[in-house]
Amino acid sequence: MVSYRFGPFRLVPDQRRLERDGTAIALTPKAFDLLVTLVQHHAHALSKDEILALVWSGSVVEEGNLAQQVLLLRRALAGAGECVATLPRHGYRFVASVIEEHHDANSPAKSPHSIVWDGREYPLREGITVIGRAEDADLRIPLPSLSRHHARVVVRGLVATLEDLGSRHGSWRGSMRVRDSVALSGGDEIRLGTASLVYCVVMPNDTTRD
C-alpha cells in the first residue's frame, strides 16, 4: 500500500482517507479523486482536459465543476500552505512537497504495465506517464532528439494508450506515426526521436511477459 505525506497531511488512496495529524478530513468523492490525481502527478502540471479525463472519465463535465472541487481542496488543505497552484489557461499542479511511503516493502504491488528502454524496465503507474528529456518528465530519456515533454502513456486498468505531445521529431508505434491517441499492445515498439522503447504488459493469469 502506498500513502503520501505533505505538510501535516497523509493521503491513503487505497483507503480513500485523508488525515491531518492523524484525524480524518472529510472530502467529497470527486474532491478526493482530484486530490489523488494531482498528488500522484505532482512532478508536472496537468491540463484541465487531462484532469477531466482522469477524474471524470466518460462523463461530460463543466469546467466550473472542476474549479469548485479545487476550491474545496484548497479549503481542506489550508494548513499546508499553497498546495494546488493554478496555471492560467492550462490547468493545475500540486506544488507542496510530497513524500511517498510504501507500507509493504516485502511485497509491493507491481504494475502490469512497463516500458523497456536501454535495457532497463520502467513500471507505468495508473494515469499519465510523461516521457521526455526534461528533468520533470516521469520517464526521463536525456537524448537531444527528444522534446522536453515528448509523449505520454495513459494507463487505465489494463488498457494503455500512447499520445504525442507536439514533439519536434514525432512519436511512432511501430511504423505508424502517432498523431492522436493510439492503443498499445504488449511487445509494441515505440520510437521517440532516436530512442527505441518496448511496451510490455502482463495480463491477469499470464506467466510470461509480452
Side-chain angles (χ1 to χ4, degrees):
M1 184 176 68
V2 178
S3 66
Y4 304 89
R5 289 191 181 274
F6 46 93
F9 295 95
R10 177 172 177 258
L11 174 67
V12 189
D14 287 349
Q15 297 179 0
R16 296 192 66 81
R17 182 176 177 86
L18 174 66
E19 301 174 351
R20 176 174 178 172
D21 297 326
T23 301
I25 303 297
L27 285 175
T28 66
K30 284 304 179 186
F32 186 89
D33 292 342
L34 175 60
L35 177 60
V36 171
T37 297
L38 291 172
V39 169
Q40 290 181 338
H41 297 86
H42 66 92
H44 59 271
L46 292 177
S47 70
K48 292 178 182 178
D49 287 343
E50 289 172 332
I51 295 172
L52 291 174
L54 290 169
V55 179
W56 286 273
S57 178
S59 302
V60 178
V61 180
E62 297 287 340
E63 280 191 14
N65 198 337
L66 170 57
Q68 179 64 29
Q69 299 306 319
V70 170
L71 179 61
L72 293 175
L73 275 187
R74 286 173 171 157
R75 289 174 177 170
L77 303 177
E82 183 182 24
C83 290
V84 182
T86 300
L87 282 72
R89 296 187 296 278
H90 181 72
Y92 300 94
R93 181 175 182 179
F94 196 85
V95 294
S97 179
V98 176
I99 299 173
E100 183 174 328
E101 299 176 330
H102 294 264
H103 300 277
D104 187 4
N106 293 323
S107 57
K110 185 175 182 181
S111 169
H113 307 269
S114 63
I115 290 286
V116 176
W117 174 69
D118 196 27
R120 294 185 60 186
E121 184 177 8
Y122 300 86
L124 299 173
R125 64 171 178 262
E126 182 78 12
I128 297 171
T129 297
V130 174
I131 307 173
R133 60 179 173 82
E135 291 284 349
D136 64 350
D138 298 310
L139 199 172
R140 183 170 183 259
I141 299 179
L143 297 178
S145 62
L146 267 74
S147 298
R148 288 178 54 78
H149 298 148
H150 194 107
R152 68 181 187 181
V153 176
V154 180
V155 171
R156 295 192 182 94
L158 292 174
V159 178
T161 56
L162 173 67
E163 302 174 15
D164 186 75
L165 295 177
S167 64
R168 177 178 298 180
H169 297 295
S171 302
W172 304 75
R173 186 198 65 182
S175 59
M176 183 185 76
R177 182 161 187 169
V178 176
R179 301 189 184 280
D180 297 309
S181 175
V182 297
L184 293 171
S185 298
D188 277 350
E189 180 191 14
I190 299 171
R191 287 187 293 119
L192 309 177
T194 58
S196 178
L197 307 85
V198 176
Y199 165 72
C200 302
V201 61
V202 175
M203 303 300 287
N205 301 321
D206 277 359
T207 57
T208 59
R209 179 174 294 276
D210 289 329

